[in-house]
Amino acid sequence: MTDRSKITTVNSSVPTDWKSDAMQARIGRRYRRERIFRSLGLAAVVISVLFLVFLLGNIVKNGAYGFMQTSVSLDVTFNADLLGDPSVLSAEEFTEKVRKTNMLRLIQASMRDLFPDVKGRRDTRALLRLVSTGARAQLRDMILANPSLVGNTERVELLTSDDIDQVIKGNIDITLAEANRKVKDKELSWLKTLQDDDRISLDFHSQFLTGGDSREPELAGVWGAIVGSALTLMVTLVTAFPIGLFAAVYLEEFAPKNRFTDIIEININNLAAVPSIVFGLLGLAVFLSVMGMPRSAPIVGGLTLALLTLPTVIIASRASIAAVPPSIRDAARGLGASPMQVVFHHVIPLAMPGIMTGTIIGMARALGESAPLLMIGMVAFIVDIPGSINDAATVLPVQIYLWADSPERAFVEKTSAAIMVLLFFLIAMNGVAIWLRQKFEQKW
Amino acid sequence: MAMISFALIRQRSVAVVGGATQQLHSLPRYHGYFAAVRVFIPCIFLFLLWLVGGEAVIENLIISGLPDALKSTNSEQISLVLNRIQLAVQHGEQSTSDANILAAAERYSSLYNKGLWSTFWLTVAIGLTGYYLSKNRTQANFRARNNFEKTMSITLAASSFLAIVVTLGIVASLIFESLRFFQQIPIQDFLFGLHWSPQTALRADQVASAGAFGAIPLFAGTFLISLLAMMVAGPIGLFAAIYLTQYANQRVRAVAKPVLEILAGVPTVVYGFFAALTVAPMLRDAGGAIGVDVASESALAAGLVMGVMIIPFVSSLSDDAITAVPSSLKDGSFALGATKAETISQVLLPAALPGVVGAFLLAISRAIGETMIVVMAAGMRPNLTANPLEAVTTVTVQIVALLTGDQEFDSPKTLSAFALGLALFVITLLLNIAALRMVRKYREAYD
Amino acid sequence: MINTPTETNLDTVQASPKMAARGVNVYYGDNHAIKDIDLNLYADEVTSLIGPSGCGKSTFLRCLNRMNDTIPICRVSGQILLEDDDIYTSGIDVVQLRARVGMVFQKPNPFPKSIYDNIAYGPRIHGLAAHRTDLDEIVTTSLEKAGLWQEVKDRLDTSGTALSGGQQQRLCIARAIAVNPEVILMDEPCSALDPIATAKIESLIDELSGRYAIIIVTHSMQQAARISRKTAFFHLGEMVEYGDTTEIFTSPKEDRTRDYITGRIG
């Protein structure tokens, strides 16, 4: 207190003693506080950046292996006794016979050659479980595509089961006590034999990008979800773009300034902030139960997302239309164009880059949206690739949600890989939007 | 099926007009547009009418035609019967052995076909009429452009009107379904009940006398997670905005702003995955290491990640608010010998306060309505607690849980989701309106 | 009603200057905004800086309390002395400097706080008042000195932005006085005000001139003639002429000064 009173300068006509110790100490304190404040700001930015790096790094680290799959090379003898002889049977008969054949027996035979010591039902079954359940379909398709294989022995690369795959990728801790892990010692010793024989390989797995969903992680692919997303977005684009553009044109160019347009405007702003799940409820109540549209279909998902993105499109389009200078309108009107011609021949073409940018950003948001789609049943397990907007389908984010819920360890990397695919599309869309903005940006 | 007929009709109308445009002489494009609009609009109306009303009419016809054995005054039973009929329509005889149902199913599909075809032909007829009408008017002196423009301006106005329709649709569907819910469950039980367990009511199959629709635990859980999220996003977002607007040089801004935009652009399902598979286990292990019991689906994990998700909202809106403060105030403060920190905390922030508060309100509204993160990372079990280390459930989680999977549209279980949706809508709407008001008032103050 | 400086006060010129510029150059990026200025500014008198717009007079003013520091591309060379210290060397702290060299801006910029808090802001951050009563006294005397006390004494808790333009500007002057400065810089303080408010500010400047060194930038030659004892004429970043106001206006030594005063350039 006494210190403070020294620097009190009430009513004094003498200059403040800035050099006094009390004042110097005070200034030191103020600068310290300044530095703390500044570092808090910097810390906030750094935390955000670090979090993003952590998030993306984590996903890439987990997801990189999602694009790869372990396979095992087996010498499979395409036994003519089992499969039938394509030179004797007609094409249909042969196909029929192959379809009915249990391909596991081919695998079993080749395994027996590799592991002659393995006896007993349980061990044999465990041995066969090293190979993915999808291997059967893989073999069958091979034979049907190339019937001349029958009677020969070929070295075939078959997918391993997801557990073995996880061991190879190092995601299962094999130092744990045997009882605590899914893959037992015996299986590991077989795996070791196969590895020593150079039969195990970890390769890029194209089925992940071209296949549909599956219960088995090693067979699951994102193509079905990508197609579903594409169909859904198509519906969204076809609906939201013209309606959003028209609404923006009306509000910006034609609407009288009255209470009613005020209400519309406030409405659009509020609609932009309504939680997305509420739009899902709307879709459920209106599209599904009142209009009786098909559940899980991209048409319903697309319409729901269209309602969701409509405010974004309208707001972006309006901003872009408003940025076109009035002089252009005056010039066109001076040449005798009707108001409608002014807008459609001059204003909209000039505003188009901005409108497109806004629309693409809206679409990108719709692409990442999942909550409203859960409401309208796009969460079903769907193996087939959807062919039309009326087929049951799922979309990428919902596929991610479904996989994230799956208990298998292998789905973690599949989920991360699917996230990478989703982020790739988002980055691509935003990249296009940025490119459009920069290419056509005009300063009026 | 309906969609195919729709596509056919549209193709047809386009084809019809496509022929006409070639024959026209004066202003051919506008005559073409006019004709197209004349054909297209009535057709689409009729089609929508069928889509909305068709099924209901058929259902009523079926119900009135049902044998007495199946007739019932109970609306739930009727819908049950209808469901069975529809199943029979789809799967034929293997779905049911009840002859009455099968007969009704047959009637249903024949009626449906009749309706569909009559709609189809009616549409074609109307389309053709529109075409001929416009063809007759296609003369040199017909002012096709003006007519077309009039139609267009109506279309434009209708498009913007749609925004209102969507809002009304949301409000109507939420209120309608909620009212049906509140007929079965008293509203005060819903709003003030402390016990949430919708499953028991379904099992009891009485008019939900169990009274298990108390939404307080859900509201509490939502509040807890939103609070945690704001504790992360509020300070970090605000300080990031301060740093970027007041301290950072061009280079830092060039890195940090896109990073924040990316954080805002990452789909919420990705955050959810990250919260559930990375953050939650990390917290649990960290808790285990210091001897604190952390649930594997703790509110903390969901709240933290959600906080990160809304950092960009807080920071970009606060950024706008801070940059809107006239620089003369900053100069005035500096000229008095204030440090930057003093200027920011004592002059800039108080001046930007309404804008910053608006930003926070919008962020809270976003947190309350956020779904995927909590669905994936928060729990399912209603839990009335303030302990962030425990699992809680939220309004959005329950909506998803109630409405995914097979639904019975009349059960209070399903309807309660709409009541929750209504509550969610009302709360977020109030927050948004308050926030927009604040931001707008604030803008006016400095313009 | 306004005292024009007279010959009798000229002896103060012999005292050491309160502030002095020695070979000051200012660059905005590549633009050489201020060229080689030497100027003495004395306590207890008003100095006007006049010249056409863009001549660098405001830029020079903002060098005197280092307000140019906030512009990243701005570079200052040469010496500016406050008493004997160069304010651009690290020995002088910018926070202290600005408390000792106060500033009033072109547009009144009261903080969106109460009148009381507007005045109390400076003393609070600098710790000039140990007790609430001291602070009250600082606020009162500052408002009195700025001639605003009678008008606002009953509504100290209303917002400073609610005052009229002239009152706001006097509030800003009171705010500057409250931190007990030695020099007050004024950057066209009346350009946003009506004639009556301008007259009030001018008489206030006159009253304050005994206590503080006041340096005022103005585009109005009449104002410079009315209120200042010394005038410096700036043109294209150079200081063309400096001297007693009466002399500058009646018998300028330089042709450019004469051209400006007679309205041929400007």
Side-chain angles (χ1 to χ4, degrees):
Chain A
M1 252 321 151
T2 44
D3 263 6
R4 285 294 191 82
S5 57
K6 270 188 214 155
I7 55 175
T8 302
T9 54
V10 184
N11 245 343
S12 72
S13 50
V14 293
T16 314
D17 182 11
W18 292 99
K19 300 235 157 49
S20 73
D21 290 347
M23 193 50 96
Q24 289 298 327
R26 188 183 165 81
I27 287 171
R29 278 201 304 279
R30 288 171 64 193
Y31 273 111
R32 217 160 25 247
R33 232 173 293 150
E34 166 77 24
R35 279 194 298 277
I36 292 170
F37 194 77
R38 186 192 166 99
S39 10
L40 279 178
L42 185 62
V45 173
V46 168
I47 287 173
S48 309
V49 175
L50 280 185
F51 185 89
L52 185 70
V53 170
F54 183 44
L55 172 76
L56 294 182
N58 203 288
I59 282 163
V60 171
K61 194 187 105 222
N62 275 326
Y65 269 143
F67 294 102
M68 299 172 83
Q69 209 65 48
T70 309
S71 44
V72 52
S73 308
L74 293 179
D75 302 305
V76 178
T77 308
F78 295 94
N79 191 333
D81 298 341
L82 273 172
L83 298 165
D85 191 342
S87 56
V88 179
L89 300 168
S90 74
E92 289 85 42
E93 282 172 328
F94 176 68
T95 310
E96 184 68 19
K97 181 95 165 86
V98 171
R99 283 199 184 286
K100 283 192 173 154
T101 310
N102 185 359
M103 294 293 162
L104 220 47
R105 294 172 66 180
L106 296 183
I107 300 168
Q108 194 173 359
S110 68
M111 281 290 203
R112 201 177 299 132
D113 294 343
L114 280 170
F115 300 101
D117 311 340
V118 176
K119 300 263 162 44
R121 271 179 79 85
R122 266 176 78 187
D123 283 1
T124 314
R125 288 211 349 232
L127 185 59
L128 283 178
R129 270 206 300 274
L130 294 180
V131 180
S132 159
T133 50
R136 284 175 267 182
Q138 193 185 342
L139 282 176
R140 191 184 59 218
D141 294 343
M142 262 178 83
I143 299 166
L144 289 178
N146 184 10
S148 63
L149 284 174
V150 175
N152 300 332
T153 300
E154 291 268 334
R155 185 163 261 222
V156 182
E157 289 219 331
L158 296 172
L159 290 176
T160 60
S161 71
D162 58 314
D163 288 337
I164 298 304
D165 179 53
Q166 290 301 303
V167 173
I168 295 298
K169 288 173 179 169
N171 289 333
I172 290 180
D173 186 2
I174 52 174
T175 57
L176 283 175
E178 190 180 6
N180 293 338
R181 63 181 132 89
K182 242 180 141 184
V183 182
K184 305 300 174 200
D185 286 345
K186 206 183 296 170
E187 292 165 280
L188 286 177
S189 72
W190 293 331
L191 185 59
K192 185 88 176 55
T193 316
L194 288 170
Q195 270 176 314
D196 292 345
D197 220 9
D198 210 16
R199 284 170 184 277
I200 299 287
S201 60
L202 183 60
D203 304 306
F204 178 71
H205 182 54
S206 65
Q207 197 186 346
F208 177 71
L209 291 175
T210 58
D213 194 9
S214 169
R215 297 277 186 222
E216 305 297 331
E218 71 273 20
L219 302 176
V222 290
W223 184 243
I226 291 176
V227 173
S229 274
L231 290 170
T232 307
L233 277 193
M234 202 181 71
V235 175
T236 307
L237 182 65
V238 165
T239 331
F241 179 66
I243 295 180
L245 175 60
F246 283 178
V249 166
Y250 179 75
L251 290 175
E252 205 55 50
E253 299 283 329
F254 297 106
K257 289 271 165 278
N258 57 21
R259 254 191 92 74
F260 185 67
T261 42
D262 268 2
I263 292 177
I264 293 184
E265 231 185 298
I266 294 170
N267 211 308
I268 290 170
N269 283 336
N270 278 324
L271 216 48
V274 169
S276 62
I277 194 171
V278 173
F279 284 95
L281 290 173
L282 174 75
L284 172 62
V286 174
F287 297 133
L288 292 189
S289 72
V290 175
M291 296 195 187
M293 287 173 152
R295 259 177 86 82
S296 311
I299 171 90
V300 181
L303 287 175
T304 308
L305 292 181
L307 300 181
L308 184 77
T309 46
L310 201 53
T312 317
V313 176
I314 295 178
I315 292 169
S317 304
R318 283 193 66 175
S320 179
I321 291 172
V324 175
S327 59
I328 303 251
R329 296 180 182 83
D330 294 343
R333 224 170 280 139
L335 292 171
S338 71
M340 199 61 74
Q341 282 171 326
V342 171
V343 170
F344 280 89
H345 295 172
H346 300 282
V347 177
I348 292 185
L350 286 174
M352 216 26 153
I355 297 172
M356 296 284 284
T357 309
T359 309
I360 294 172
I361 290 171
M363 289 299 121
R365 199 167 299 163
L367 174 60
E369 197 56 76
S370 28
L373 302 180
L374 301 183
M375 300 288 91
I376 54 162
M378 287 186 96
V379 273
F381 169 70
I382 293 151
V383 179
D384 298 328
I385 313 293
S388 85
I389 52 173
N390 283 316
D391 291 349
T394 189
V395 294
L396 265 177
V398 176
Q399 186 73 73
I400 290 166
Y401 165 66
L402 287 171
W403 283 353
D405 252 10
S406 305
E408 286 92 344
R409 172 65 181 80
F411 265 122
V412 172
E413 62 189 40
K414 292 293 166 194
T415 315
S416 301
I419 288 174
M420 285 166 72
V421 173
L422 176 63
L423 290 179
F424 168 78
F425 281 111
L426 286 176
I427 290 169
M429 287 172 85
N430 282 298
V432 170
I434 292 168
W435 176 77
L436 264 179
R437 190 174 355 180
Q438 276 168 359
K439 183 153 195 275
F440 294 102
E441 190 174 50
Q442 277 181 23
K443 290 265 182 274
W444 300 101
Chain B
M1 182 79 140
M3 283 309 297
I4 294 164
S5 77
F6 161 74
L8 274 176
I9 291 162
R10 195 167 61 169
Q11 255 174 16
R12 197 185 174 86
S13 73
V14 169
V16 153
V17 174
T21 46
Q22 255 75 63
Q23 299 159 14
L24 300 167
H25 293 288
S26 58
L27 285 168
R29 265 191 308 158
Y30 284 106
H31 281 289
Y33 289 153
F34 178 64
V37 166
R38 267 296 179 90
V39 172
F40 183 70
I41 289 181
C43 290
I44 209 88
F45 262 107
L46 199 69
F47 174 71
L48 285 178
L49 201 68
W50 157 253
L51 211 59
V52 176
E55 210 139 322
V57 171
I58 292 176
E59 278 176 8
N60 277 333
L61 282 175
I62 293 284
I63 290 164
S64 61
L66 278 179
D68 291 340
L70 286 172
K71 268 194 184 165
S72 160
T73 45
N74 188 335
S75 67
E76 273 175 54
Q77 295 224 327
I78 287 182
S79 75
L80 209 68
V81 170
L82 272 177
N83 271 349
R84 284 171 67 193
I85 293 173
Q86 261 160 359
L87 262 181
V89 171
Q90 278 161 21
H91 302 292
E93 290 182 27
Q94 70 248 59
S95 64
T96 174
S97 51
D98 189 330
N100 283 330
I101 296 282
L102 277 178
E106 224 160 275
R107 260 167 43 77
Y108 184 95
S109 40
S110 86
L111 270 176
Y112 188 85
N113 280 330
K114 266 187 216 159
L116 194 64
W117 281 107
S118 52
T119 315
F120 176 73
W121 287 116
L122 209 59
T123 318
V124 171
I126 289 183
L128 286 176
T129 321
Y131 165 61
Y132 278 110
L133 274 179
S134 48
K135 194 182 172 191
N136 284 341
R137 299 184 69 176
T138 307
Q139 287 151 9
N141 61 352
F142 176 56
R143 301 173 73 173
R145 204 201 66 207
N146 299 37
N147 274 285
F148 167 67
E149 288 188 349
K150 203 176 279 170
T151 326
M152 273 311 286
S153 64
I154 293 171
T155 316
L156 292 183
S159 297
S160 59
F161 189 61
L162 193 75
I164 299 242
V165 174
V166 172
T167 312
L168 289 182
I170 291 176
V171 173
S173 57
L174 289 179
I175 288 186
F176 180 71
E177 305 292 349
S178 303
L179 280 182
R180 286 171 63 192
F181 173 68
F182 292 132
Q183 275 167 8
Q184 300 176 38
I185 313 290
I187 186 162
Q188 62 271 23
D189 288 4
F190 173 73
L191 284 182
F192 306 112
L194 296 178
H195 187 55
W196 177 267
S197 123
Q199 268 69 22
T200 52
L202 193 72
R203 209 168 48 224
D205 200 28
Q206 291 153 357
V207 189
S209 55
F213 286 95
I216 287 288
L218 311 189
F219 293 144
T222 306
F223 178 74
L224 177 64
I225 289 183
S226 303
L227 186 75
L228 288 168
M230 285 313 291
M231 280 163 63
V232 174
I236 293 185
L238 187 57
F239 269 105
I242 288 172
Y243 188 79
L244 291 179
T245 54
Q246 306 299 321
Y247 286 107
N249 58 25
Q250 207 56 47
R251 279 225 316 281
V252 174
R253 263 201 296 272
V255 175
K257 284 221 165 174
V259 164
L260 288 174
E261 271 170 38
I262 294 173
L263 275 181
V266 171
T268 54
V269 69
V270 177
Y271 282 113
F273 173 70
F274 187 67
L277 270 103
T278 308
V279 178
M282 261 168 53
L283 288 175
R284 196 188 50 212
D285 295 347
I290 56 168
V292 179
D293 200 18
V294 181
S296 59
E297 293 186 317
S298 62
L300 188 61
L304 283 181
V305 174
M306 192 191 283
V308 173
M309 186 198 80
I310 52 180
I311 285 175
F313 288 95
V314 177
S315 76
S316 81
L317 291 168
S318 306
D319 190 321
D320 292 348
I322 292 171
T323 33
V325 175
S327 61
S328 66
L329 291 185
K330 224 164 79 177
D331 286 349
S333 174
F334 284 145
L336 288 169
T339 61
K340 243 179 177 179
E342 286 160 353
T343 303
I344 293 164
S345 59
Q346 294 179 46
V347 175
L348 278 190
L349 285 186
L353 193 64
V356 173
V357 171
F360 274 56
L361 288 182
L362 279 180
I364 294 172
S365 143
R366 177 72 53 154
I368 289 176
E370 169 48 38
T371 308
M372 294 316 289
I373 293 178
V374 281
V375 165
M376 294 167 83
M380 287 297 224
R381 202 168 53 83
N383 187 358
L384 197 55
T385 175
N387 180 358
L389 303 180
E390 285 184 37
V392 297
T393 193
T394 72
V395 173
T396 47
V397 170
Q398 286 305 313
I399 294 177
V400 170
L402 291 167
L403 289 183
T404 46
D406 289 322
Q407 316 152 2
E408 190 92 49
F409 226 107
D410 283 318
S411 78
K413 181 189 164 194
T414 312
L415 292 175
S416 68
F418 284 89
L420 288 175
L422 183 64
L424 189 66
F425 178 74
V426 169
I427 293 169
T428 52
L429 187 72
L430 290 178
L431 282 170
N432 294 338
I433 289 176
L436 289 176
R437 275 256 169 97
M438 276 209 155
V439 171
R440 188 185 259 200
K441 239 191 194 157
Y442 167 68
R443 285 225 185 96
E444 280 163 4
Y446 288 119
D447 270 348
Chain C
M1 105 194 164
I2 291 160
N3 297 339
T4 13
T6 54
E7 315 284 314
T8 53
N9 301 23
L10 267 178
D11 54 348
T12 46
V13 175
Q14 311 308 321
S16 68
K18 187 78 194 171
M19 286 192 90
R22 301 273 178 268
V24 172
N25 285 283
V26 180
Y27 304 85
Y28 286 120
D30 293 334
N31 179 17
H32 195 173
I34 297 267
K35 295 165 193 161
D36 219 15
I37 305 274
D38 283 295
L39 182 62
N40 287 341
L41 302 160
Y42 294 94
D44 311 338
E45 66 179 26
V46 180
T47 307
S48 286
L49 309 182
I50 62 167
S53 29
C55 66
K57 53 192 193 300
S58 287
T59 304
F60 177 69
L61 191 76
R62 293 169 79 92
C63 290
L64 298 178
N65 69 342
R66 292 179 56 179
M67 279 301 279
N68 282 335
D69 288 13
T70 53
I71 304 162
I73 57 164
C74 180
R75 199 157 50 79
V76 179
S77 70
Q79 279 187 316
I80 294 178
L81 304 174
L82 175 59
E83 285 170 344
D84 294 324
D85 305 316
D86 184 350
I87 63 170
Y88 277 93
T89 59
S90 50
I92 280 263
D93 182 81
V94 68
V95 160
Q96 281 180 36
L97 170 72
R98 288 179 186 155
R100 291 172 66 185
V101 183
M103 188 165 195
V104 176
F105 295 83
Q106 189 170 356
K107 241 183 90 192
N109 57 351
F111 303 133
K113 301 168 178 283
S114 73
I115 292 172
Y116 184 94
D117 286 335
N118 259 286
I119 308 290
Y121 177 71
R124 273 191 190 131
I125 56 175
H126 291 295
L128 300 183
H131 307 284
R132 174 81 194 187
T133 47
D134 294 348
L135 197 58
D136 287 345
E137 198 163 347
I138 290 177
V139 171
T140 313
T141 47
S142 303
L143 283 170
E144 275 168 354
K145 283 184 196 166
L148 197 59
W149 176 249
Q150 288 305 322
E151 292 160 62
V152 300
K153 64 178 178 196
D154 301 324
R155 45 177 178 143
L156 289 176
D157 52 350
T158 57
S159 171
T161 52
L163 297 172
S164 74
Q167 288 173 324
Q168 286 189 10
Q169 195 62 298
R170 277 181 282 150
L171 179 67
C172 293
I173 293 174
R175 190 173 70 186
I177 292 171
V179 289
N180 196 23
E182 296 151 44
V183 181
I184 300 179
L185 310 175
M186 296 191 178
D187 189 0
E188 304 195 22
C190 303
S191 66
L193 303 179
D194 61 78
I196 296 169
T198 302
K200 277 193 184 154
I201 301 277
E202 282 181 6
S203 66
L204 172 60
I205 291 172
D206 197 56
E207 276 165 37
L208 296 176
S209 66
R211 272 181 269 206
Y212 310 97
I214 296 179
I215 298 134
I216 178 167
V217 165
T218 175
H219 60 269
S220 154
M221 284 175 281
Q222 291 80 0
Q223 187 171 58
R226 280 196 299 269
I227 58 177
S228 61
R229 180 180 306 164
K230 290 283 176 4
T231 296
F233 170 61
F234 279 65
H235 188 235
L236 297 175
E238 291 172 44
M239 191 179 73
V240 179
E241 195 170 345
Y242 168 77
D244 282 350
T245 304
T246 39
E247 227 161 281
I248 293 266
F249 280 99
T250 52
S251 53
K253 295 186 188 75
E254 297 277 332
D255 291 347
R256 278 186 290 174
T257 318
R258 186 178 305 116
D259 288 350
Y260 179 69
I261 287 162
T262 53
R264 235 170 285 166
I265 57 169

